[in-house]
Every structure is written in structure tokens, then in C-alpha cells.
Amino acid sequence: AAGLMTLCEPCAAGTYTAAAAASSCSRCAIGTYAPLPGATSCSDCALGTFSNATGQVKCKACAAGHYAPRFGATHCFQCGPLAYAPLPGMWRCHDCPNNARSVVPASSDVANCRCIHGTYPNQHYDREILQPWSPDGIGVPNASAGPRAVPPLLTTDRWPARLSLL
């Protein structure tokens, strides 16, 4: 068939080809995405986001209470019992204040951090937010009490060692 001309089409979003004259496009691997047509490679998902399927055009943000600590994540982790993640799309969890632990798995609120046995909330924290911890969750803050001072978000460079996965 002399005289036939091949039309070159760009790869669809979520796919790529790195080679010239490739016969087809490949789907982006899990943990990666290609937002626009014509990609020559896929990009890793950013910190705090993930992709758990091939051929994605964007990555999903981790839900509050969860985190993705590396580029190219394929899933999110729950914050451990010493931490919380207040917003979607976090790459690490915030530590509960000293001598406190969360009474809720995958916590998204510092109000779920309770003093451990043998400790008490000091004057630096609102007593309604940081109440004595109990395994049965008694002492949940009164939501109708109005605005409260929230303790500062505590961070640490040692976060991987301080978190335990549930």
C-alpha cells in the first residue's frame, strides 16, 4: 500500500511512551501519574498523595488521619497512637503533646490526644482538649463549649521512629 501515511497520535493522559516510533502507549505504573496527553514518562505521586491503580491522571490525597511519607506512594498509612494528621494530603503525622496518646486509630484531631496514666494536663493546654486518657474514651471534649485554645502542633525530625502502624 504505497502512499499510505501513518498519523501519529499523542498518548492519552495516564499513559506514556519513551521511545520514538513506539507501537503503543504504556499505562503509568501504580504510584505514578501523567496528567496530560503526550507524556514521555510518568511522574511520581507527591508526598501526602498516592496512586493504587495503573493509568492514573492524578494522585489521590491521603485522608485526614493518614499519611504518605515518600514520593511514588501506592497507599497511605494510618497515624499511630502517638500522633494525628488534621488535614488530607499530609506526608507525616503530628505528634500528640508529650505524655499523651491518641484514643482514636488514624486520628485527625489533637483533641483525641489524652494524657497517659500518671500524668495530667498542665496550664499550657486547655483542659477540655487534653483530658486524662482512659481506654474507654470517657472524657470526650464538649463541642458546645465554644472556641478553645489549641496546643501548638508539635513536630519532630524523628517521626518515623516515633510512629507505629496500626
PDB file of all heavy atoms in Angstrom, residues 2 11 22 25 34 37 54-56 71-72 102 119 137 139 144 146:
ATOM      1  N   ALA A   2       1.407   1.479  -1.150  1.00  0.00           N
ATOM      2  CA  ALA A   2       2.254   2.653  -1.305  1.00  0.00           C
ATOM      3  C   ALA A   2       1.427   3.909  -1.151  1.00  0.00           C
ATOM      4  O   ALA A   2       0.273   3.972  -1.526  1.00  0.00           O
ATOM      5  CB  ALA A   2       2.923   2.619  -2.668  1.00  0.00           C
ATOM      6  N   CYS A  11      -0.073   9.960  23.186  1.00  0.00           N
ATOM      7  CA  CYS A  11      -0.584   9.025  24.207  1.00  0.00           C
ATOM      8  C   CYS A  11      -1.625   9.757  25.047  1.00  0.00           C
ATOM      9  O   CYS A  11      -1.505  10.959  25.304  1.00  0.00           O
ATOM     10  CB  CYS A  11       0.559   8.556  25.110  1.00  0.00           C
ATOM     11  SG  CYS A  11       1.759   7.499  24.273  1.00  0.00           S
ATOM     12  N   ALA A  22       7.253   4.188  18.844  1.00  0.00           N
ATOM     13  CA  ALA A  22       6.678   3.095  19.632  1.00  0.00           C
ATOM     14  C   ALA A  22       5.351   2.682  19.003  1.00  0.00           C
ATOM     15  O   ALA A  22       4.649   3.497  18.407  1.00  0.00           O
ATOM     16  CB  ALA A  22       6.473   3.539  21.075  1.00  0.00           C
ATOM     17  N   CYS A  25       1.189   2.922  23.578  1.00  0.00           N
ATOM     18  CA  CYS A  25       1.484   3.644  24.821  1.00  0.00           C
ATOM     19  C   CYS A  25       1.343   2.688  25.998  1.00  0.00           C
ATOM     20  O   CYS A  25       0.573   1.730  25.942  1.00  0.00           O
ATOM     21  CB  CYS A  25       0.517   4.812  24.989  1.00  0.00           C
ATOM     22  SG  CYS A  25       0.582   6.012  23.631  1.00  0.00           S
ATOM     23  N   ALA A  34       0.294  10.654  34.862  1.00  0.00           N
ATOM     24  CA  ALA A  34       0.602  11.524  33.720  1.00  0.00           C
ATOM     25  C   ALA A  34      -0.650  12.361  33.471  1.00  0.00           C
ATOM     26  O   ALA A  34      -1.645  11.854  32.951  1.00  0.00           O
ATOM     27  CB  ALA A  34       0.982  10.712  32.488  1.00  0.00           C
ATOM     28  N   PRO A  37      -2.011  14.534  27.898  1.00  0.00           N
ATOM     29  CA  PRO A  37      -1.689  13.644  26.773  1.00  0.00           C
ATOM     30  C   PRO A  37      -0.274  13.917  26.272  1.00  0.00           C
ATOM     31  O   PRO A  37       0.276  15.001  26.452  1.00  0.00           O
ATOM     32  CB  PRO A  37      -2.710  14.034  25.698  1.00  0.00           C
ATOM     33  CG  PRO A  37      -3.765  14.804  26.403  1.00  0.00           C
ATOM     34  CD  PRO A  37      -3.126  15.428  27.606  1.00  0.00           C
ATOM     35  N   THR A  54      -3.069   1.544  37.951  1.00  0.00           N
ATOM     36  CA  THR A  54      -2.282   1.977  36.795  1.00  0.00           C
ATOM     37  C   THR A  54      -3.093   2.965  35.956  1.00  0.00           C
ATOM     38  O   THR A  54      -4.319   3.032  36.054  1.00  0.00           O
ATOM     39  CB  THR A  54      -1.868   0.777  35.924  1.00  0.00           C
ATOM     40  OG1 THR A  54      -3.044   0.138  35.433  1.00  0.00           O
ATOM     41  CG2 THR A  54      -1.017  -0.205  36.711  1.00  0.00           C
ATOM     42  N   GLY A  55      -2.387   3.741  35.126  1.00  0.00           N
ATOM     43  CA  GLY A  55      -3.055   4.628  34.174  1.00  0.00           C
ATOM     44  C   GLY A  55      -3.728   5.839  34.794  1.00  0.00           C
ATOM     45  O   GLY A  55      -4.709   6.336  34.243  1.00  0.00           O
ATOM     46  N   GLN A  56      -3.189   6.361  35.879  1.00  0.00           N
ATOM     47  CA  GLN A  56      -3.835   7.477  36.566  1.00  0.00           C
ATOM     48  C   GLN A  56      -3.412   8.822  35.971  1.00  0.00           C
ATOM     49  O   GLN A  56      -2.282   9.010  35.553  1.00  0.00           O
ATOM     50  CB  GLN A  56      -3.502   7.455  38.053  1.00  0.00           C
ATOM     51  CG  GLN A  56      -4.019   6.212  38.758  1.00  0.00           C
ATOM     52  CD  GLN A  56      -5.520   6.085  38.644  1.00  0.00           C
ATOM     53  OE1 GLN A  56      -6.270   6.922  39.116  1.00  0.00           O
ATOM     54  NE2 GLN A  56      -5.957   5.010  37.997  1.00  0.00           N
ATOM     55  N   PHE A  71       7.701   9.834  48.011  1.00  0.00           N
ATOM     56  CA  PHE A  71       7.233  10.056  46.642  1.00  0.00           C
ATOM     57  C   PHE A  71       6.898   8.702  46.022  1.00  0.00           C
ATOM     58  O   PHE A  71       7.524   7.695  46.319  1.00  0.00           O
ATOM     59  CB  PHE A  71       8.321  10.749  45.813  1.00  0.00           C
ATOM     60  CG  PHE A  71       8.594  12.163  46.248  1.00  0.00           C
ATOM     61  CD1 PHE A  71       9.657  12.442  47.081  1.00  0.00           C
ATOM     62  CD2 PHE A  71       7.777  13.196  45.833  1.00  0.00           C
ATOM     63  CE1 PHE A  71       9.925  13.738  47.485  1.00  0.00           C
ATOM     64  CE2 PHE A  71       8.025  14.502  46.230  1.00  0.00           C
ATOM     65  CZ  PHE A  71       9.096  14.770  47.058  1.00  0.00           C
ATOM     66  N   GLY A  72       5.901   8.686  45.155  1.00  0.00           N
ATOM     67  CA  GLY A  72       5.541   7.453  44.462  1.00  0.00           C
ATOM     68  C   GLY A  72       4.793   6.465  45.341  1.00  0.00           C
ATOM     69  O   GLY A  72       4.834   5.259  45.085  1.00  0.00           O
ATOM     70  N   SER A 102      -3.171   9.173  71.309  1.00  0.00           N
ATOM     71  CA  SER A 102      -4.495   9.277  70.710  1.00  0.00           C
ATOM     72  C   SER A 102      -5.350   8.092  71.154  1.00  0.00           C
ATOM     73  O   SER A 102      -4.875   6.962  71.217  1.00  0.00           O
ATOM     74  CB  SER A 102      -4.396   9.298  69.189  1.00  0.00           C
ATOM     75  OG  SER A 102      -5.687   9.341  68.616  1.00  0.00           O
ATOM     76  N   THR A 119      -0.139  11.114  84.407  1.00  0.00           N
ATOM     77  CA  THR A 119       0.131  12.495  84.011  1.00  0.00           C
ATOM     78  C   THR A 119      -1.177  13.276  84.040  1.00  0.00           C
ATOM     79  O   THR A 119      -2.257  12.702  84.129  1.00  0.00           O
ATOM     80  CB  THR A 119       0.749  12.577  82.601  1.00  0.00           C
ATOM     81  OG1 THR A 119      -0.211  12.126  81.640  1.00  0.00           O
ATOM     82  CG2 THR A 119       2.015  11.749  82.495  1.00  0.00           C
ATOM     83  N   GLY A 137     -12.366   5.846  76.337  1.00  0.00           N
ATOM     84  CA  GLY A 137     -12.712   7.075  75.631  1.00  0.00           C
ATOM     85  C   GLY A 137     -13.546   8.044  76.427  1.00  0.00           C
ATOM     86  O   GLY A 137     -14.034   9.034  75.888  1.00  0.00           O
ATOM     87  N   GLY A 139     -14.541  11.147  78.545  1.00  0.00           N
ATOM     88  CA  GLY A 139     -13.922  12.460  78.622  1.00  0.00           C
ATOM     89  C   GLY A 139     -13.760  13.115  77.269  1.00  0.00           C
ATOM     90  O   GLY A 139     -12.850  13.881  77.058  1.00  0.00           O
ATOM     91  N   SER A 144     -19.967  21.897  72.371  1.00  0.00           N
ATOM     92  CA  SER A 144     -20.767  23.105  72.508  1.00  0.00           C
ATOM     93  C   SER A 144     -20.111  24.142  73.399  1.00  0.00           C
ATOM     94  O   SER A 144     -20.676  25.183  73.669  1.00  0.00           O
ATOM     95  CB  SER A 144     -22.154  22.747  73.057  1.00  0.00           C
ATOM     96  OG  SER A 144     -22.006  22.209  74.366  1.00  0.00           O
ATOM     97  N   GLY A 146     -17.747  26.095  72.793  1.00  0.00           N
ATOM     98  CA  GLY A 146     -17.265  27.265  72.077  1.00  0.00           C
ATOM     99  C   GLY A 146     -15.789  27.157  71.735  1.00  0.00           C
ATOM    100  O   GLY A 146     -15.174  26.120  71.929  1.00  0.00           O
TER     101      GLY A 146
END
